[in-house]
Amino acid sequence: MNPHLAPVAVPDPALLPHVQQLCDLTDPYAHGPAVDALFAAAMAETNAWHTERSPFFRSLYEATPPAEPYRTPLVHANFFKRHEVLSIPREDVELHLTSSGTTGQKSQMFFDHWTIRSAQRMVARIFERNGWITPDQEVNYLLYSYEPAPSLNLGTAFTDNYLCDFAPARSVEYALRHTGGDHEFDPFGCIAALRRFEREDAPVRILGFPAFLFFTLERMRAMGLAPLRLPEGSLVVLGGGWKGHADRRIEKEELYARVTEQLGIPGERIRDTFGSVEHCIPYVECDHHRLHAPVWSRVTIRSTRDLEPLPYGERGYLHLVSPYITSVPAQSVVMGDLASLQPGEACGCELETPWFTVHGRAGVSRNRSCAVAAAELMKGMA
């Protein structure tokens, strides 16, 4: 068995049997009444788990109307920027990740073995379904994220490095180079790596922030470089957004067209993703470039006025629910993103679960995400 798909056990099988069963589902987009019932049972178990172990969550849960779906309180992602709330002993924390860059407010998220491994296995299930796990095919990686450094515990860096496990690395290049005390964006290093990769016979995998990829393409065009043709089987998996450079953001359709034009990678091999350190469920675009909800989560859009659920098509706060997490009471997180939800059949692909579109951040805040911090490194470089 592929090690990324190996079994992993919940902390207490007697208390969390339905959580185990839900997270063991092998089809990442299974749906139907039986799956819905299993999801509801798993949510009841995880709510009971956190109610017993977190006084913070217990107080919220007792004040939540039973009519609320899954009777799960709404916790805003910003809460975790100011508070450390655990449902496990500190000694059971296997991994500590943060959400932002070198300064500013950071979400502090803590993971036990079950939580981080089950989230990783979800990623592996989706990659497996798309045929992106290739243990016999070496690839060259260009990571538009942070080069590893002592004490670096950013969630984006952890994720991008984990994605390198799905195909053996011939070489790995980083766009954000560690300079000793900080990281700096290296567009010329990225261009040199891409030109070298074109001459080799290994597929290329480009992972990370879309803004950095765009600025690399812009620099290539400004330098008058001819388009590259990266080897067949190359893949682009993006994530992180354009925060901090909204004035230069281009629509993803234009970015994908530029990647195809300048790097020779076809559109079906270019996918965006959505995720956060507060909610590690992977949302990966289908081949129609829609972010479908996987079987392990449910997506709701909440009114910006009163937080009531909104119907398909209307914009509001993105609310994400999943029972997978046992380390922190973050099974129901309201993000700072504005989004809209559509039924699965409105996509036209083979997936039938609902999908959402992210329209940008809600309001103006001083909070800085990983993408904001990373974008600041591009000042003067573009």
Short mmCIF file of all heavy atoms in Angstrom, two decimals, residues 128-180:
data_model
loop_
_atom_site.label_atom_id
_atom_site.label_comp_id
_atom_site.label_asym_id
_atom_site.label_seq_id
_atom_site.Cartn_x
_atom_site.Cartn_y
_atom_site.Cartn_z
N GLU A 128 -4.48 10.76 -5.65
CA GLU A 128 -4.62 9.43 -6.24
C GLU A 128 -5.74 9.42 -7.27
O GLU A 128 -5.58 8.86 -8.38
CB GLU A 128 -4.89 8.40 -5.15
CG GLU A 128 -5.05 6.98 -5.67
CD GLU A 128 -5.50 6.01 -4.58
OE1 GLU A 128 -6.44 6.36 -3.82
OE2 GLU A 128 -4.91 4.93 -4.49
N ARG A 129 -6.85 10.03 -6.95
CA ARG A 129 -7.99 10.04 -7.86
C ARG A 129 -7.63 10.74 -9.18
O ARG A 129 -8.11 10.38 -10.24
CB ARG A 129 -9.19 10.73 -7.21
CG ARG A 129 -10.48 10.58 -8.00
CD ARG A 129 -11.61 11.35 -7.34
NE ARG A 129 -12.89 10.96 -7.92
CZ ARG A 129 -13.35 11.38 -9.09
NH1 ARG A 129 -12.63 12.21 -9.82
NH2 ARG A 129 -14.54 10.99 -9.54
N ASN A 130 -6.79 11.77 -9.09
CA ASN A 130 -6.39 12.52 -10.27
C ASN A 130 -5.20 11.91 -11.00
O ASN A 130 -4.78 12.43 -12.04
CB ASN A 130 -6.07 13.96 -9.89
CG ASN A 130 -7.31 14.80 -9.66
OD1 ASN A 130 -8.02 15.17 -10.59
ND2 ASN A 130 -7.59 15.10 -8.41
N GLY A 131 -4.65 10.83 -10.46
CA GLY A 131 -3.51 10.19 -11.10
C GLY A 131 -2.20 10.93 -10.88
O GLY A 131 -1.26 10.81 -11.69
N TRP A 132 -2.11 11.68 -9.79
CA TRP A 132 -0.93 12.50 -9.54
C TRP A 132 0.05 11.87 -8.57
O TRP A 132 1.04 12.50 -8.19
CB TRP A 132 -1.35 13.87 -9.01
CG TRP A 132 -2.21 14.66 -9.95
CD1 TRP A 132 -2.34 14.49 -11.29
CD2 TRP A 132 -3.06 15.76 -9.60
NE1 TRP A 132 -3.22 15.40 -11.81
CE2 TRP A 132 -3.68 16.20 -10.79
CE3 TRP A 132 -3.35 16.42 -8.41
CZ2 TRP A 132 -4.57 17.26 -10.81
CZ3 TRP A 132 -4.23 17.48 -8.42
CH2 TRP A 132 -4.84 17.89 -9.61
N ILE A 133 -0.19 10.64 -8.13
CA ILE A 133 0.79 9.92 -7.33
C ILE A 133 1.55 9.00 -8.28
O ILE A 133 0.98 8.06 -8.83
CB ILE A 133 0.12 9.12 -6.19
CG1 ILE A 133 -0.59 10.07 -5.22
CG2 ILE A 133 1.16 8.29 -5.45
CD1 ILE A 133 -1.27 9.36 -4.06
N THR A 134 2.82 9.31 -8.49
CA THR A 134 3.63 8.59 -9.48
C THR A 134 4.94 8.15 -8.85
O THR A 134 5.99 8.77 -9.09
CB THR A 134 3.89 9.49 -10.70
OG1 THR A 134 4.55 10.70 -10.26
CG2 THR A 134 2.58 9.87 -11.38
N PRO A 135 4.92 7.09 -8.06
CA PRO A 135 6.15 6.68 -7.34
C PRO A 135 7.28 6.23 -8.26
O PRO A 135 8.44 6.19 -7.83
CB PRO A 135 5.65 5.53 -6.47
CG PRO A 135 4.41 5.03 -7.13
CD PRO A 135 3.77 6.23 -7.74
N ASP A 136 6.97 5.91 -9.52
CA ASP A 136 8.01 5.43 -10.44
C ASP A 136 8.48 6.51 -11.41
O ASP A 136 9.26 6.23 -12.32
CB ASP A 136 7.50 4.23 -11.22
CG ASP A 136 7.12 3.06 -10.32
OD1 ASP A 136 7.83 2.84 -9.33
OD2 ASP A 136 6.12 2.38 -10.61
N GLN A 137 8.01 7.74 -11.24
CA GLN A 137 8.36 8.82 -12.16
C GLN A 137 8.98 9.98 -11.40
O GLN A 137 8.31 10.66 -10.64
CB GLN A 137 7.11 9.31 -12.91
CG GLN A 137 7.34 10.55 -13.77
CD GLN A 137 8.25 10.29 -14.94
OE1 GLN A 137 7.91 9.56 -15.87
NE2 GLN A 137 9.44 10.90 -14.92
N GLU A 138 10.27 10.20 -11.59
CA GLU A 138 10.93 11.36 -10.98
C GLU A 138 10.42 12.65 -11.61
O GLU A 138 10.09 12.68 -12.80
CB GLU A 138 12.45 11.29 -11.17
CG GLU A 138 13.16 10.31 -10.27
CD GLU A 138 14.66 10.48 -10.36
OE1 GLU A 138 15.15 11.04 -11.36
OE2 GLU A 138 15.34 10.03 -9.41
N VAL A 139 10.35 13.70 -10.79
CA VAL A 139 9.95 15.01 -11.30
C VAL A 139 10.89 16.08 -10.74
O VAL A 139 11.53 15.89 -9.70
CB VAL A 139 8.49 15.35 -10.93
CG1 VAL A 139 7.53 14.28 -11.41
CG2 VAL A 139 8.34 15.57 -9.44
N ASN A 140 10.94 17.20 -11.43
CA ASN A 140 11.62 18.39 -10.93
C ASN A 140 10.59 19.32 -10.30
O ASN A 140 9.54 19.58 -10.90
CB ASN A 140 12.34 19.12 -12.07
CG ASN A 140 13.59 18.41 -12.52
OD1 ASN A 140 14.41 17.99 -11.71
ND2 ASN A 140 13.75 18.25 -13.84
N TYR A 141 10.87 19.80 -9.11
CA TYR A 141 9.93 20.66 -8.39
C TYR A 141 10.41 22.10 -8.39
O TYR A 141 11.60 22.39 -8.13
CB TYR A 141 9.80 20.21 -6.93
CG TYR A 141 9.04 18.92 -6.73
CD1 TYR A 141 9.72 17.71 -6.61
CD2 TYR A 141 7.65 18.92 -6.64
CE1 TYR A 141 9.02 16.53 -6.42
CE2 TYR A 141 6.95 17.74 -6.45
CZ TYR A 141 7.64 16.54 -6.34
OH TYR A 141 6.96 15.37 -6.14
N LEU A 142 9.47 23.01 -8.63
CA LEU A 142 9.67 24.43 -8.37
C LEU A 142 8.59 24.86 -7.39
O LEU A 142 7.40 24.87 -7.74
CB LEU A 142 9.58 25.25 -9.66
CG LEU A 142 9.68 26.78 -9.49
CD1 LEU A 142 10.95 27.19 -8.76
CD2 LEU A 142 9.59 27.48 -10.85
N LEU A 143 9.00 25.17 -6.18
CA LEU A 143 8.06 25.50 -5.12
C LEU A 143 8.00 27.01 -4.92
O LEU A 143 9.00 27.63 -4.52
CB LEU A 143 8.46 24.82 -3.81
CG LEU A 143 8.61 23.30 -3.84
CD1 LEU A 143 8.83 22.76 -2.42
CD2 LEU A 143 7.41 22.63 -4.48
N TYR A 144 6.83 27.57 -5.19
CA TYR A 144 6.62 28.99 -4.93
C TYR A 144 6.19 29.15 -3.47
O TYR A 144 5.08 29.56 -3.17
CB TYR A 144 5.59 29.56 -5.90
CG TYR A 144 6.19 29.83 -7.26
CD1 TYR A 144 6.09 28.91 -8.30
CD2 TYR A 144 6.90 31.01 -7.49
CE1 TYR A 144 6.67 29.16 -9.53
CE2 TYR A 144 7.49 31.27 -8.72
CZ TYR A 144 7.36 30.34 -9.73
OH TYR A 144 7.95 30.59 -10.96
N SER A 145 7.10 28.80 -2.60
CA SER A 145 6.88 28.88 -1.16
C SER A 145 8.23 29.03 -0.48
O SER A 145 9.23 29.31 -1.14
CB SER A 145 6.13 27.65 -0.65
OG SER A 145 6.86 26.47 -0.92
N TYR A 146 8.24 28.86 0.83
CA TYR A 146 9.42 29.19 1.63
C TYR A 146 10.44 28.05 1.66
O TYR A 146 10.09 26.91 1.95
CB TYR A 146 8.99 29.52 3.05
CG TYR A 146 8.12 30.74 3.17
CD1 TYR A 146 6.74 30.65 3.03
CD2 TYR A 146 8.68 31.99 3.42
CE1 TYR A 146 5.93 31.77 3.14
CE2 TYR A 146 7.88 33.12 3.53
CZ TYR A 146 6.50 33.01 3.38
OH TYR A 146 5.71 34.11 3.49
N GLU A 147 11.69 28.37 1.39
CA GLU A 147 12.77 27.41 1.56
C GLU A 147 12.86 27.03 3.03
O GLU A 147 12.77 27.89 3.91
CB GLU A 147 14.08 28.01 1.09
CG GLU A 147 15.25 27.06 1.12
CD GLU A 147 16.51 27.68 0.56
OE1 GLU A 147 16.59 28.93 0.48
OE2 GLU A 147 17.43 26.91 0.20
N PRO A 148 13.01 25.74 3.35
CA PRO A 148 13.07 25.33 4.76
C PRO A 148 14.16 26.08 5.51
O PRO A 148 15.23 26.38 4.97
CB PRO A 148 13.39 23.83 4.66
CG PRO A 148 12.85 23.41 3.34
CD PRO A 148 13.07 24.59 2.43
N ALA A 149 13.83 26.39 6.76
CA ALA A 149 14.76 27.11 7.63
C ALA A 149 14.46 26.72 9.06
O ALA A 149 13.36 26.26 9.38
CB ALA A 149 14.60 28.63 7.44
N PRO A 150 15.43 26.88 9.96
CA PRO A 150 15.18 26.57 11.37
C PRO A 150 13.99 27.36 11.90
O PRO A 150 13.83 28.54 11.62
CB PRO A 150 16.49 27.00 12.06
CG PRO A 150 17.52 26.92 10.98
CD PRO A 150 16.82 27.31 9.71
N SER A 151 13.14 26.66 12.64
CA SER A 151 11.96 27.27 13.30
C SER A 151 10.87 27.68 12.33
O SER A 151 9.91 28.33 12.73
CB SER A 151 12.36 28.47 14.16
OG SER A 151 13.32 28.10 15.14
N LEU A 152 10.98 27.34 11.04
CA LEU A 152 9.92 27.67 10.10
C LEU A 152 8.77 26.69 10.28
O LEU A 152 8.92 25.49 10.04
CB LEU A 152 10.44 27.61 8.67
CG LEU A 152 9.42 27.96 7.57
CD1 LEU A 152 9.03 29.42 7.66
CD2 LEU A 152 9.99 27.64 6.19
N ASN A 153 7.61 27.18 10.72
CA ASN A 153 6.48 26.29 10.95
C ASN A 153 5.21 26.82 10.27
O ASN A 153 4.11 26.66 10.78
CB ASN A 153 6.23 26.09 12.45
CG ASN A 153 5.98 27.41 13.19
OD1 ASN A 153 6.13 28.49 12.63
ND2 ASN A 153 5.59 27.30 14.45
N LEU A 154 5.38 27.45 9.10
CA LEU A 154 4.24 27.94 8.35
C LEU A 154 3.48 26.79 7.70
O LEU A 154 4.07 25.88 7.13
CB LEU A 154 4.70 28.92 7.27
CG LEU A 154 5.38 30.20 7.77
CD1 LEU A 154 5.88 31.02 6.59
CD2 LEU A 154 4.41 31.02 8.60
N GLY A 155 2.16 26.89 7.77
CA GLY A 155 1.34 25.82 7.21
C GLY A 155 1.54 25.64 5.73
O GLY A 155 1.57 24.51 5.22
N THR A 156 1.71 26.74 4.97
CA THR A 156 1.88 26.62 3.53
C THR A 156 3.17 25.90 3.19
O THR A 156 3.22 25.08 2.26
CB THR A 156 1.88 28.00 2.86
OG1 THR A 156 2.83 28.84 3.52
CG2 THR A 156 0.51 28.64 2.92
N ALA A 157 4.25 26.22 3.90
CA ALA A 157 5.52 25.56 3.64
C ALA A 157 5.43 24.07 3.94
O ALA A 157 5.93 23.23 3.18
CB ALA A 157 6.63 26.20 4.47
N PHE A 158 4.74 23.72 5.03
CA PHE A 158 4.57 22.32 5.39
C PHE A 158 3.80 21.58 4.30
O PHE A 158 4.18 20.49 3.87
CB PHE A 158 3.84 22.22 6.72
CG PHE A 158 3.55 20.80 7.16
CD1 PHE A 158 4.50 20.06 7.82
CD2 PHE A 158 2.32 20.22 6.90
CE1 PHE A 158 4.25 18.75 8.22
CE2 PHE A 158 2.04 18.92 7.28
CZ PHE A 158 3.01 18.18 7.95
N THR A 159 2.72 22.20 3.80
CA THR A 159 1.89 21.56 2.79
C THR A 159 2.66 21.35 1.49
O THR A 159 2.63 20.27 0.89
CB THR A 159 0.63 22.40 2.52
OG1 THR A 159 -0.13 22.48 3.72
CG2 THR A 159 -0.22 21.77 1.43
N ASP A 160 3.34 22.39 1.01
CA ASP A 160 4.04 22.27 -0.26
C ASP A 160 5.14 21.22 -0.19
O ASP A 160 5.36 20.48 -1.15
CB ASP A 160 4.63 23.62 -0.68
CG ASP A 160 3.55 24.59 -1.13
OD1 ASP A 160 2.47 24.12 -1.52
OD2 ASP A 160 3.78 25.81 -1.09
N ASN A 161 5.83 21.15 0.94
CA ASN A 161 6.86 20.13 1.05
C ASN A 161 6.25 18.73 1.13
O ASN A 161 6.82 17.76 0.60
CB ASN A 161 7.74 20.40 2.28
CG ASN A 161 8.76 21.49 2.01
OD1 ASN A 161 9.75 21.28 1.32
ND2 ASN A 161 8.51 22.67 2.55
N TYR A 162 5.07 18.60 1.76
CA TYR A 162 4.39 17.30 1.79
C TYR A 162 3.99 16.86 0.38
O TYR A 162 4.10 15.68 0.03
CB TYR A 162 3.16 17.37 2.69
CG TYR A 162 2.31 16.14 2.64
CD1 TYR A 162 2.77 14.93 3.17
CD2 TYR A 162 1.04 16.15 2.05
CE1 TYR A 162 2.00 13.78 3.11
CE2 TYR A 162 0.27 15.01 2.00
CZ TYR A 162 0.75 13.82 2.53
OH TYR A 162 -0.02 12.68 2.46
N LEU A 163 3.55 17.81 -0.46
CA LEU A 163 3.13 17.46 -1.81
C LEU A 163 4.28 16.92 -2.65
O LEU A 163 4.05 16.25 -3.66
CB LEU A 163 2.51 18.68 -2.50
CG LEU A 163 1.20 19.22 -1.91
CD1 LEU A 163 0.67 20.38 -2.74
CD2 LEU A 163 0.15 18.13 -1.77
N CYS A 164 5.50 17.18 -2.22
CA CYS A 164 6.65 16.63 -2.93
C CYS A 164 6.80 15.13 -2.69
O CYS A 164 7.62 14.48 -3.36
CB CYS A 164 7.93 17.34 -2.50
SG CYS A 164 8.03 19.06 -3.04
N ASP A 165 6.04 14.57 -1.77
CA ASP A 165 6.15 13.15 -1.48
C ASP A 165 5.41 12.27 -2.49
O ASP A 165 5.58 11.05 -2.48
CB ASP A 165 5.61 12.84 -0.08
CG ASP A 165 6.52 13.35 1.02
OD1 ASP A 165 7.69 13.66 0.72
OD2 ASP A 165 6.06 13.45 2.17
N PHE A 166 4.59 12.87 -3.34
CA PHE A 166 3.76 12.07 -4.23
C PHE A 166 4.47 11.66 -5.52
O PHE A 166 3.93 10.88 -6.30
CB PHE A 166 2.46 12.81 -4.56
CG PHE A 166 1.59 13.02 -3.35
CD1 PHE A 166 1.08 14.27 -3.05
CD2 PHE A 166 1.30 11.96 -2.50
CE1 PHE A 166 0.28 14.46 -1.95
CE2 PHE A 166 0.51 12.15 -1.39
CZ PHE A 166 0.00 13.40 -1.10
N ALA A 167 5.63 12.21 -5.75
CA ALA A 167 6.48 11.78 -6.86
C ALA A 167 7.92 12.04 -6.44
O ALA A 167 8.21 13.09 -5.87
CB ALA A 167 6.15 12.56 -8.14
N PRO A 168 8.82 11.09 -6.67
CA PRO A 168 10.21 11.27 -6.22
C PRO A 168 10.84 12.49 -6.88
O PRO A 168 10.63 12.78 -8.06
CB PRO A 168 10.90 9.98 -6.65
CG PRO A 168 10.00 9.37 -7.67
CD PRO A 168 8.62 9.81 -7.35
N ALA A 169 11.63 13.23 -6.10
CA ALA A 169 12.22 14.47 -6.57
C ALA A 169 13.57 14.23 -7.23
O ALA A 169 14.46 13.63 -6.63
CB ALA A 169 12.38 15.44 -5.41
N ARG A 170 13.70 14.68 -8.46
CA ARG A 170 15.01 14.75 -9.08
C ARG A 170 15.75 15.98 -8.56
O ARG A 170 16.94 15.93 -8.28
CB ARG A 170 14.89 14.80 -10.60
CG ARG A 170 16.23 14.97 -11.31
CD ARG A 170 16.10 14.88 -12.81
NE ARG A 170 15.66 13.55 -13.25
CZ ARG A 170 15.59 13.18 -14.52
NH1 ARG A 170 15.92 14.04 -15.48
NH2 ARG A 170 15.18 11.96 -14.85
N SER A 171 15.01 17.09 -8.43
CA SER A 171 15.56 18.30 -7.83
C SER A 171 14.42 19.14 -7.30
O SER A 171 13.28 19.01 -7.74
CB SER A 171 16.38 19.10 -8.85
OG SER A 171 15.54 19.60 -9.88
N VAL A 172 14.73 20.01 -6.33
CA VAL A 172 13.74 20.89 -5.73
C VAL A 172 14.33 22.30 -5.67
O VAL A 172 15.42 22.50 -5.11
CB VAL A 172 13.34 20.45 -4.30
CG1 VAL A 172 12.31 21.40 -3.71
CG2 VAL A 172 12.82 19.02 -4.31
N GLU A 173 13.62 23.26 -6.26
CA GLU A 173 14.03 24.66 -6.22
C GLU A 173 12.93 25.47 -5.52
O GLU A 173 11.75 25.18 -5.68
CB GLU A 173 14.26 25.21 -7.64
CG GLU A 173 15.30 24.45 -8.44
CD GLU A 173 16.71 24.65 -7.92
OE1 GLU A 173 16.92 25.63 -7.15
OE2 GLU A 173 17.60 23.86 -8.29
N TYR A 174 13.34 26.48 -4.76
CA TYR A 174 12.42 27.33 -4.01
C TYR A 174 12.43 28.75 -4.55
O TYR A 174 13.49 29.30 -4.86
CB TYR A 174 12.79 27.35 -2.53
CG TYR A 174 12.52 26.04 -1.82
CD1 TYR A 174 13.49 25.04 -1.81
CD2 TYR A 174 11.31 25.81 -1.17
CE1 TYR A 174 13.25 23.83 -1.17
CE2 TYR A 174 11.07 24.60 -0.53
CZ TYR A 174 12.04 23.62 -0.53
OH TYR A 174 11.80 22.43 0.11
N ALA A 175 11.23 29.34 -4.62
CA ALA A 175 11.13 30.74 -5.05
C ALA A 175 11.48 31.70 -3.93
O ALA A 175 12.01 32.78 -4.18
CB ALA A 175 9.71 31.03 -5.55
N LEU A 176 11.17 31.34 -2.69
CA LEU A 176 11.46 32.18 -1.53
C LEU A 176 12.70 31.61 -0.85
O LEU A 176 12.60 30.65 -0.08
CB LEU A 176 10.26 32.22 -0.58
CG LEU A 176 9.00 32.85 -1.15
CD1 LEU A 176 7.88 32.86 -0.11
CD2 LEU A 176 9.25 34.25 -1.64
N ARG A 177 13.82 32.21 -1.13
CA ARG A 177 15.08 31.70 -0.64
C ARG A 177 15.38 32.22 0.76
O ARG A 177 15.18 33.40 1.06
CB ARG A 177 16.22 32.09 -1.58
CG ARG A 177 16.01 31.65 -3.03
CD ARG A 177 15.83 30.14 -3.14
NE ARG A 177 16.95 29.43 -2.55
CZ ARG A 177 18.08 29.16 -3.20
NH1 ARG A 177 18.24 29.55 -4.47
NH2 ARG A 177 19.05 28.48 -2.62
N HIS A 178 15.85 31.31 1.60
CA HIS A 178 16.21 31.70 2.96
C HIS A 178 17.55 32.43 2.93
O HIS A 178 18.55 31.91 2.40
CB HIS A 178 16.31 30.47 3.87
CG HIS A 178 16.53 30.82 5.30
ND1 HIS A 178 17.64 30.38 6.01
CD2 HIS A 178 15.81 31.57 6.16
CE1 HIS A 178 17.57 30.84 7.24
NE2 HIS A 178 16.47 31.57 7.36
N THR A 179 17.59 33.64 3.47
CA THR A 179 18.79 34.47 3.40
C THR A 179 19.50 34.60 4.73
O THR A 179 20.38 35.43 4.89
CB THR A 179 18.43 35.87 2.88
OG1 THR A 179 17.47 36.46 3.77
CG2 THR A 179 17.86 35.80 1.48
N GLY A 180 19.12 33.80 5.68
CA GLY A 180 19.72 33.85 7.01
C GLY A 180 18.69 34.18 8.05
O GLY A 180 18.32 33.34 8.86
#
